[in-house]
Amino acid sequence: MALTVGFDLDMTLIDSRPGIRATYEALAAETGVAIDAALAVTRLGPPLEVELAHWFPAEHIDEAADRYRTMYEEYAIGPTSAMPGAAEAIAAVHAHGGRAVVVTAKYEPNALLHLDALGLRADAVIGSLWAEQKAVALREHAAAVYVGDHVGDVRGAAAAGAHAVAVATGPCDAAELSAAGAGTVLPDLTHFPGWLRGYGAADAD
């Protein structure tokens, strides 16, 4: 069976902080609700509604989330860049004869917009899944490895029985990721192709 590797999106494959900050600022301007966008982008990972709960009363969170997602394409896609090594990490999976799937908490249509804009070629994209929920998609695609930047990603990998590769490029540092149970912790995705070669060799043995 071909190797399937799952990847998280925000702060794993893409640096969406500038775009997300711009979207929060636009949402704040439109709604009149004070949102500390600079603070919000330091804790990316959990679902949008978790962050909005810091700024909106409970009865307005769903409405604010819908509006944010509608505004997202205008404000967030252009300023977002690929993380160093992102394209090479996906290419390494394909060179290994495998499949690269993106499993993210982000709204799936917006995740697809990012990947298309940046030319990142995933074999499947599954959105709106967070932490242990990610195991549903990872099991469905028989992912043996899941790569993410958050302790929630590590928990998702564990729930799916996948090897958790954590990159210390998001809100969680290497010590946190290791303590959460990551099987491998890398400084960033530039180290992933080399790790995958070793993983593939060990698997062949």
Side-chain angles (χ1 to χ4, degrees):
M1 183 180 297
L3 173 69
T4 296
V5 177
F7 290 92
D8 177 49
L9 187 62
D10 291 308
M11 302 313 300
T12 299
L13 288 174
I14 66 172
D15 185 353
S16 51
R17 290 173 297 183
I20 288 175
R21 178 171 179 166
T23 309
Y24 277 130
E25 289 171 345
L27 182 65
E30 181 175 289
T31 62
V33 173
I35 300 173
D36 187 341
L39 174 60
V41 297
T42 67
R43 47 195 186 199
L44 299 182
L48 171 63
E49 289 81 1
V50 173
E51 182 60 42
L52 292 176
H54 292 288
W55 316 109
F56 290 85
E59 63 270 23
H60 294 307
I61 290 173
D62 288 345
E63 179 185 0
D66 287 344
R67 184 60 185 140
Y68 173 98
R69 291 179 177 122
T70 299
M71 302 169 80
Y72 194 89
E73 181 175 3
E74 178 180 357
Y75 292 98
I77 304 303
T80 294
S81 58
M83 294 292 285
E88 293 82 359
I90 293 173
V93 175
H94 291 150
H96 193 75
R99 299 176 69 249
V101 301
V102 172
V103 182
T104 174
K106 189 179 293 297
Y107 180 54
E108 190 172 306
N110 289 337
L112 287 164
L113 288 173
H114 277 304
L115 294 170
D116 288 346
L118 295 170
L120 297 175
R121 187 171 63 86
D123 298 287
V125 180
I126 305 94
S128 300
L129 296 176
W130 162 241
E132 288 82 358
Q133 296 170 345
K134 293 187 174 188
V136 175
L138 294 172
R139 287 194 297 263
E140 179 181 344
H141 288 272
V145 175
Y146 185 58
V147 186
D149 65 280
H150 198 285
V151 294
D153 299 324
V154 176
R155 300 203 310 268
H163 182 87
V165 175
V167 286
T169 50
C172 304
D173 63 24
E176 290 177 273
L177 296 164
S178 181
T184 301
V185 179
L186 304 175
D188 56 48
L189 278 181
T190 64
H191 295 259
F192 180 79
W195 176 85
L196 185 63
R197 285 193 294 273
Y199 178 84
D203 192 49
D205 291 342

